[in-house]
Amino acid sequence: MPIEFQIDDGVAVITINRPEARNAIDRETALAVEAAAQQVNTDPAIRCAVITGAGGNFCAGMDLKAFLRGEVVRLPQTGFAGMTQSDLQKPFIAAVEGYALAGGFEIMLACDMVVAGSTAKFGLTEVKRGLVANAGGLVRLPRQMPVKLAAEFVLTGEIYPVERLADAGLVNRVVEEGQALAEAIKLAQVIAANGPMAVAVSRRVLKESLEWSEAELFERQFEITAPVFASADAREGAAAFAEKRKPVWKGC
């Protein structure tokens, strides 16, 4: 199977399962990731998702052998690996060990958060193969780190240690080698325990407000967030706090 997919206590884990190829993406894998991401979107039992790789590496990008065979790994609606242009409607955390290169780096950029092992290595290496990082590297990276650093990553194609990315704000947590998945699941469980409507709306504002002018920030924010304060979950959250119990969310 090109991926493994598991759900436990509101957290889905997608594992790219091609360790013999450093989890490089061929068409079969892209289609499988696309289907898994769609299940995350539509299954109400899933509150948060983690994506990782098997065998000690996250993802080495596009399978160049598959590319030479003519396989298309950029899907029409969801982009590279069925992920980089997907409308991900729930929080995604990348759990990175080993290499996250080229398209693998761009899968990571599509996620909301990143947990990485201490020996993880990252790079947008496309230019070294005469290609370009058009699965998100060129457009997402300068929105997630200083532009001059993004230019270095994109134009040199060099591979960098995790400390460089953490210093630039691209990695949330650095853990001991081999512990990235466990830590990412712990982080996902914290998110999954929160009000699903509140998480979804907060995440929407975080993303969309980057494109808003300063003059419209609060007006547009209040328009989107107002339904949360009138929701059953808001009342449940307050009642659970007062009664010193865990809330039972309805998502509305």
Side-chain angles (χ1 to χ4, degrees):
M1 295 291 290
I3 72 164
E4 296 177 356
F5 185 81
Q6 298 176 318
I7 305 169
D8 184 32
D9 197 22
V11 176
V13 177
I14 302 168
T15 304
I16 305 170
N17 189 31
R18 300 189 72 221
E20 73 286 354
R22 288 183 176 172
N23 300 314
I25 304 296
D26 61 4
R27 182 165 178 80
E28 182 184 16
T29 307
L31 290 168
V33 172
E34 180 185 58
Q38 180 60 25
Q39 184 172 343
V40 170
N41 279 351
T42 57
D43 188 342
I46 299 173
R47 302 283 180 83
C48 190
V50 174
I51 185 164
T52 192
N57 286 295
F58 183 68
C59 174
M62 177 173 62
D63 186 328
L64 294 178
K65 293 179 181 178
F67 172 72
L68 290 174
R69 291 194 298 266
E71 292 188 24
V72 177
V73 298
R74 184 189 304 276
L75 304 183
Q77 301 299 318
T78 56
F80 175 76
M83 176 99 178
T84 59
Q85 292 172 248
S86 182
D87 179 18
L88 303 175
Q89 296 177 17
K90 296 173 186 176
F92 261 78
I93 302 170
V96 180
E97 300 281 358
Y99 287 104
L101 303 178
F105 192 118
E106 291 166 301
I107 291 171
M108 181 197 80
L109 290 177
C111 294
D112 298 272
M113 285 166 272
V114 180
V115 176
S118 59
T119 59
K121 294 179 173 61
F122 303 80
L124 287 172
T125 55
E126 284 90 342
V127 292
K128 290 186 179 295
R129 302 290 178 262
L131 301 170
V132 293
N134 68 349
L138 298 180
V139 295
R140 283 198 171 109
L141 195 60
R143 287 171 166 79
Q144 296 184 21
M145 71 188 306
V147 173
K148 285 184 171 56
L149 289 180
E152 180 184 341
F153 275 58
V154 169
L155 301 181
T156 67
E158 292 293 295
I159 296 173
Y160 297 92
V162 67
E163 291 82 7
R164 187 76 187 276
L165 277 81
D167 289 345
L170 282 177
V171 172
N172 296 79
R173 300 182 184 182
V174 179
V175 296
E176 291 184 10
E177 181 181 3
Q179 295 302 307
L181 178 58
E183 184 68 17
I185 290 173
K186 285 170 58 178
L187 181 57
Q189 289 171 338
V190 172
I191 296 169
N194 295 331
M197 185 179 183
V199 168
V201 169
S202 297
R203 182 171 176 266
R204 178 185 170 189
V205 173
L206 280 171
K207 288 177 174 291
E208 293 184 9
S209 63
L210 294 174
E211 308 299 328
W212 300 346
S213 70
E214 186 171 357
E216 60 185 342
L217 284 177
F218 281 93
E219 182 178 353
R220 293 187 69 170
Q221 174 191 248
F222 290 143
E223 180 182 350
I224 294 170
T225 60
V228 174
F229 290 87
S231 69
D233 274 0
R235 293 190 293 275
E236 169 62 11
F241 175 79
E243 296 165 13
K244 298 182 179 180
R245 60 174 174 83
K246 290 184 177 180
V248 180
W249 306 118
K250 297 181 179 178
C252 60

PDB file of all heavy atoms in Angstrom, residues 1-2 9 66 83 92 121 134 155 200:
ATOM      1  N   MET A   1       0.843  -1.199   0.000  1.00  0.00           N
ATOM      2  CA  MET A   1       0.000   0.000   0.000  1.00  0.00           C
ATOM      3  C   MET A   1       0.879   1.251   0.000  1.00  0.00           C
ATOM      4  O   MET A   1       1.830   1.339   0.779  1.00  0.00           O
ATOM      5  CB  MET A   1      -0.897   0.016   1.237  1.00  0.00           C
ATOM      6  CG  MET A   1      -1.929  -1.101   1.285  1.00  0.00           C
ATOM      7  SD  MET A   1      -3.197  -0.882   0.026  1.00  0.00           S
ATOM      8  CE  MET A   1      -4.067   0.529   0.672  1.00  0.00           C
ATOM      9  N   PRO A   2       0.574   2.235  -0.869  1.00  0.00           N
ATOM     10  CA  PRO A   2       1.416   3.437  -0.933  1.00  0.00           C
ATOM     11  C   PRO A   2       1.302   4.335   0.287  1.00  0.00           C
ATOM     12  O   PRO A   2       2.193   5.149   0.541  1.00  0.00           O
ATOM     13  CB  PRO A   2       0.905   4.136  -2.189  1.00  0.00           C
ATOM     14  CG  PRO A   2      -0.512   3.670  -2.332  1.00  0.00           C
ATOM     15  CD  PRO A   2      -0.508   2.244  -1.861  1.00  0.00           C
ATOM     16  N   ASP A   9      -9.058   8.466  18.244  1.00  0.00           N
ATOM     17  CA  ASP A   9      -9.450   9.536  19.164  1.00  0.00           C
ATOM     18  C   ASP A   9      -9.444  10.907  18.481  1.00  0.00           C
ATOM     19  O   ASP A   9      -8.918  11.875  19.017  1.00  0.00           O
ATOM     20  CB  ASP A   9      -8.529   9.540  20.380  1.00  0.00           C
ATOM     21  CG  ASP A   9      -9.108  10.328  21.550  1.00  0.00           C
ATOM     22  OD1 ASP A   9     -10.335  10.510  21.592  1.00  0.00           O
ATOM     23  OD2 ASP A   9      -8.327  10.782  22.403  1.00  0.00           O
ATOM     24  N   ALA A  66       9.397   7.825 -11.800  1.00  0.00           N
ATOM     25  CA  ALA A  66       8.003   7.904 -12.237  1.00  0.00           C
ATOM     26  C   ALA A  66       7.815   9.060 -13.220  1.00  0.00           C
ATOM     27  O   ALA A  66       7.075   8.941 -14.209  1.00  0.00           O
ATOM     28  CB  ALA A  66       7.082   8.079 -11.029  1.00  0.00           C
ATOM     29  N   MET A  83      -2.094  16.941  -2.429  1.00  0.00           N
ATOM     30  CA  MET A  83      -2.059  17.648  -1.141  1.00  0.00           C
ATOM     31  C   MET A  83      -1.777  19.137  -1.264  1.00  0.00           C
ATOM     32  O   MET A  83      -2.401  19.949  -0.575  1.00  0.00           O
ATOM     33  CB  MET A  83      -0.970  16.987  -0.282  1.00  0.00           C
ATOM     34  CG  MET A  83      -0.723  17.633   1.049  1.00  0.00           C
ATOM     35  SD  MET A  83      -1.546  16.783   2.363  1.00  0.00           S
ATOM     36  CE  MET A  83      -1.001  17.740   3.769  1.00  0.00           C
ATOM     37  N   PHE A  92      -3.683  20.291   9.778  1.00  0.00           N
ATOM     38  CA  PHE A  92      -2.725  19.254   9.399  1.00  0.00           C
ATOM     39  C   PHE A  92      -1.386  19.560  10.049  1.00  0.00           C
ATOM     40  O   PHE A  92      -0.926  20.708  10.027  1.00  0.00           O
ATOM     41  CB  PHE A  92      -2.539  19.206   7.882  1.00  0.00           C
ATOM     42  CG  PHE A  92      -3.333  18.127   7.189  1.00  0.00           C
ATOM     43  CD1 PHE A  92      -4.687  18.294   6.957  1.00  0.00           C
ATOM     44  CD2 PHE A  92      -2.719  16.953   6.770  1.00  0.00           C
ATOM     45  CE1 PHE A  92      -5.426  17.311   6.310  1.00  0.00           C
ATOM     46  CE2 PHE A  92      -3.444  15.962   6.123  1.00  0.00           C
ATOM     47  CZ  PHE A  92      -4.805  16.143   5.888  1.00  0.00           C
ATOM     48  N   LYS A 121      16.319  16.947   7.741  1.00  0.00           N
ATOM     49  CA  LYS A 121      16.973  17.830   6.770  1.00  0.00           C
ATOM     50  C   LYS A 121      15.962  18.252   5.720  1.00  0.00           C
ATOM     51  O   LYS A 121      15.133  17.450   5.279  1.00  0.00           O
ATOM     52  CB  LYS A 121      18.163  17.131   6.128  1.00  0.00           C
ATOM     53  CG  LYS A 121      19.305  16.834   7.106  1.00  0.00           C
ATOM     54  CD  LYS A 121      20.446  16.118   6.421  1.00  0.00           C
ATOM     55  CE  LYS A 121      21.643  15.974   7.364  1.00  0.00           C
ATOM     56  NZ  LYS A 121      21.298  15.180   8.560  1.00  0.00           N
ATOM     57  N   ASN A 134       7.272  24.657  -7.935  1.00  0.00           N
ATOM     58  CA  ASN A 134       5.966  25.266  -8.178  1.00  0.00           C
ATOM     59  C   ASN A 134       4.812  24.479  -7.558  1.00  0.00           C
ATOM     60  O   ASN A 134       3.662  24.632  -7.959  1.00  0.00           O
ATOM     61  CB  ASN A 134       5.731  25.478  -9.678  1.00  0.00           C
ATOM     62  CG  ASN A 134       5.573  24.184 -10.454  1.00  0.00           C
ATOM     63  OD1 ASN A 134       5.826  23.104  -9.928  1.00  0.00           O
ATOM     64  ND2 ASN A 134       5.168  24.290 -11.706  1.00  0.00           N
ATOM     65  N   LEU A 155      16.726  29.391  -4.563  1.00  0.00           N
ATOM     66  CA  LEU A 155      17.686  29.595  -5.654  1.00  0.00           C
ATOM     67  C   LEU A 155      18.949  28.758  -5.521  1.00  0.00           C
ATOM     68  O   LEU A 155      19.608  28.467  -6.533  1.00  0.00           O
ATOM     69  CB  LEU A 155      18.043  31.082  -5.749  1.00  0.00           C
ATOM     70  CG  LEU A 155      16.856  32.021  -6.010  1.00  0.00           C
ATOM     71  CD1 LEU A 155      17.322  33.462  -6.100  1.00  0.00           C
ATOM     72  CD2 LEU A 155      16.093  31.624  -7.274  1.00  0.00           C
ATOM     73  N   ALA A 200     -12.086  25.532  13.531  1.00  0.00           N
ATOM     74  CA  ALA A 200     -12.247  25.748  12.089  1.00  0.00           C
ATOM     75  C   ALA A 200     -12.311  27.233  11.749  1.00  0.00           C
ATOM     76  O   ALA A 200     -11.673  27.699  10.793  1.00  0.00           O
ATOM     77  CB  ALA A 200     -13.503  25.040  11.595  1.00  0.00           C
TER      78      ALA A 200
END
